[in-house]
Amino acid sequence: MKKLNVKAVVIDLRHVSEETLASYEHIQIHAALAMTSPRTEALLAKYPVELDATSVQCYDDDAKVNMVNGKTELTASHKPEGKSVLIVNGKANIAADAGDTLRAYGKIIVNGKVLCPAGLAGLVTEKCTINGKLAVYPDEAVVLKGTVKLDRSFLLRAQARLYWTEKQFVAVDPKLDVAALAAKGVRFAAPKAILLEQFTETLAPLFTENTELIVLPEGTAVVDDDFELTPKTFRRYGSKIYVMGDVNISDDAAEVLGQVEYLHASGDVSLSAALEDVFYAIPDVEYEDLQLLTGHVVRNKPLLNIKPELLELDPAGVTCANCAVVTLDKTLTPEEIVAKLRLNCCAIVRCTAAQEAAAAAVAVNVAQIKVTDAVKEEKDPDTLYRTGVELTL
């Protein structure tokens, strides 16, 4: 008798036979959704079956499973026929008229994001298992995507409606006629809104009370991405900057950094430790986290090999920042790594098993540490393995 190991997103156990279960010494099942029937639940209790599932649902034999990879929309016209289970690996947009459609499903599992109107939020949480984020918008709102800029183009199309976005509204164009926008009867709802100071008196009353208002001083430049402060970018953006991302301050920016009056970042700030005092002298500064880069700094490399010679370039060692793949030379000892290397915001660090603990100790915001000489686990020859998205046992 062999063992059976099954891994699947959906495992359908409704039609499994007693002969199949009896033919294995042990059965291990891992799944997001396990579908059973009253008959098979009795059988599973009788035999050595280890079932590890996020959700176990008991259905009749004729229930169907529909799986969507990507984006789907549930409306009144998408009501399923008969008993059904829906699995969405992506984003599910639920329309205001989708109440009966939601009720018609036996179960809905979303591995991703669900967007729904407030009037259906209770039903959504009742019917859906959401492995991700639920975003709820006002029932009467026009739903917009991402960061929405309130500019002349928006003004031309604006109507007397409530506009909602799950991210933020931005009104930073000095040429925007805010009086004309308010006269159209528009209203706004979002977690956050960024407004120039001169717009606040007119625009602030147009936002719902739970919208966080960020007021920017007059003359502030807005960057809607990550930003690197250099002498060149300072000449372009000026001394007042609001950044919707991370900020890197280059090593040659010491002089212009001293002229910055206002620097707000929604993300992190990284700079050489030698510039720390100048940075703290900025009159108005705000950020999530400050990363001080010590020693010789290597930035923005797609592939970087750390060899002993590189660590000797500076007595304070080396800092690798925003590099994609960093590979540690196998001759580097853990002691050398801890004493001489810093890893900041790198995607993948490749090292040996002996170096793994040291690499983890010097890593900040590193997505993955990959051991290159790890011994591959051998599969048990007495175990039958089955893996898939949708499996029927």
Side-chain angles (χ1 to χ4, degrees):
M1 294 177 67
K2 283 196 170 186
K3 301 174 184 177
L4 176 63
N5 185 292
V6 180
K7 294 181 180 179
V9 176
V10 180
I11 180 72
D12 190 346
L13 302 171
R14 292 173 297 168
H15 308 288
V16 67
S17 68
E18 185 166 4
E19 290 76 16
T20 298
L21 297 177
S23 63
Y24 292 100
E25 176 186 342
H26 185 259
I27 300 175
Q28 241 183 349
I29 301 173
H30 304 273
L33 171 65
M35 299 178 63
T36 65
S37 66
R39 180 190 67 86
T40 55
E41 286 197 344
L43 288 178
L44 294 176
K46 183 178 177 182
Y47 290 93
V49 177
E50 184 181 339
L51 178 58
D52 179 16
T54 304
S55 178
V56 179
Q57 300 290 326
C58 187
Y59 298 108
D60 295 335
D61 292 346
D62 58 348
K64 297 179 180 179
V65 177
N66 299 316
M67 183 174 293
V68 177
N69 295 312
K71 182 179 177 181
T72 190
E73 185 171 4
L74 296 181
T75 68
S77 61
H78 290 84
K79 186 176 179 180
E81 296 181 3
K83 297 178 181 180
S84 297
V85 176
L86 175 64
I87 299 175
V88 180
N89 298 311
K91 183 177 181 180
N93 290 332
I94 299 175
D97 62 358
D100 289 341
T101 299
L102 291 171
R103 295 182 187 94
Y105 277 105
K107 187 67 177 178
I108 299 175
I109 297 176
V110 180
N111 300 309
K113 181 186 290 184
V114 176
L115 183 66
C116 78
L120 291 179
L123 182 58
V124 167
T125 55
E126 175 189 338
K127 298 293 292 188
C128 301
T129 297
I130 303 172
N131 301 311
K133 180 182 178 182
L134 172 63
V136 179
Y137 60 88
D139 291 319
E140 73 277 19
V142 176
V143 177
L144 303 176
K145 297 179 180 179
T147 294
V148 179
K149 295 182 179 179
L150 302 182
D151 53 16
R152 186 171 180 274
S153 296
F154 187 93
L155 173 61
L156 291 174
R157 294 176 292 179
Q159 302 176 25
R161 302 285 300 276
L162 173 65
Y163 293 92
W164 177 90
T165 177
E166 63 178 308
K167 196 167 185 183
Q168 60 193 358
F169 287 97
V170 179
V172 295
D173 182 357
K175 298 179 181 178
L176 175 65
D177 188 343
V178 292
L181 183 62
K184 288 206 169 186
V186 295
R187 294 172 296 131
F188 303 103
K192 183 166 65 174
I194 302 171
L195 313 176
L196 287 181
E197 189 173 22
Q198 61 264 37
F199 293 164
T200 307
E201 185 175 348
T202 303
L203 293 186
L206 306 183
F207 287 87
T208 56
E209 292 181 356
N210 58 349
T211 300
E212 178 190 4
L213 298 182
I214 297 177
V215 180
L216 306 184
E218 187 172 351
T220 301
V222 177
V223 181
D224 60 358
D225 202 347
D226 294 338
F227 175 72
E228 183 173 15
L229 179 64
T230 66
K232 182 178 180 179
T233 58
F234 179 82
R235 290 193 296 271
R236 176 181 177 185
Y237 291 98
S239 62
K240 299 176 183 178
I241 311 169
Y242 183 91
V243 181
M244 302 180 196
D246 297 329
V247 175
N248 291 321
I249 299 175
S250 68
D251 294 341
D252 61 350
E255 183 176 346
V256 297
L257 183 61
Q259 302 175 50
V260 174
E261 303 173 53
Y262 177 97
L263 177 60
H264 282 220
S266 60
D268 300 336
V269 175
S270 62
L271 73 159
S272 169
L275 299 177
E276 182 181 7
D277 291 340
V278 183
F279 175 78
Y280 282 129
I282 297 174
D284 193 341
V285 63
E286 188 175 295
Y287 50 89
E288 284 292 316
D289 189 31
L290 181 65
Q291 300 171 6
L292 296 177
L293 311 180
T294 57
H296 178 71
V297 179
V298 182
R299 300 176 187 262
N300 305 320
K301 298 292 184 181
L303 298 172
L304 178 63
N305 292 323
I306 305 296
K307 296 184 177 181
E309 297 82 1
L310 180 60
L311 297 185
E312 297 302 323
L313 290 178
D314 192 297
V318 171
T319 295
C320 304
N322 301 306
C323 296
V325 180
V326 179
T327 301
L328 306 188
D329 191 281
K330 63 178 65 177
T331 62
L332 292 174
T333 66
E335 292 76 17
E336 287 175 312
I337 294 170
V338 171
K340 289 281 191 173
L341 181 63
R342 295 295 178 268
L343 302 165
N344 288 70
C345 300
C346 298
I348 299 174
V349 174
R350 303 175 74 249
C351 64
T352 66
Q355 297 168 333
E356 184 181 9
V362 300
V364 177
N365 294 328
V366 168
Q368 180 184 9
I369 296 178
K370 187 174 182 179
V371 176
T372 56
D373 60 350
V375 179
K376 292 184 178 180
E377 184 179 349
E378 295 185 4
K379 291 187 175 181
D380 183 356
D382 293 326
T383 299
L384 175 64
Y385 295 89
R386 291 187 63 186
T387 304
V389 177
E390 295 180 71
L391 294 179
T392 299
L393 190 61

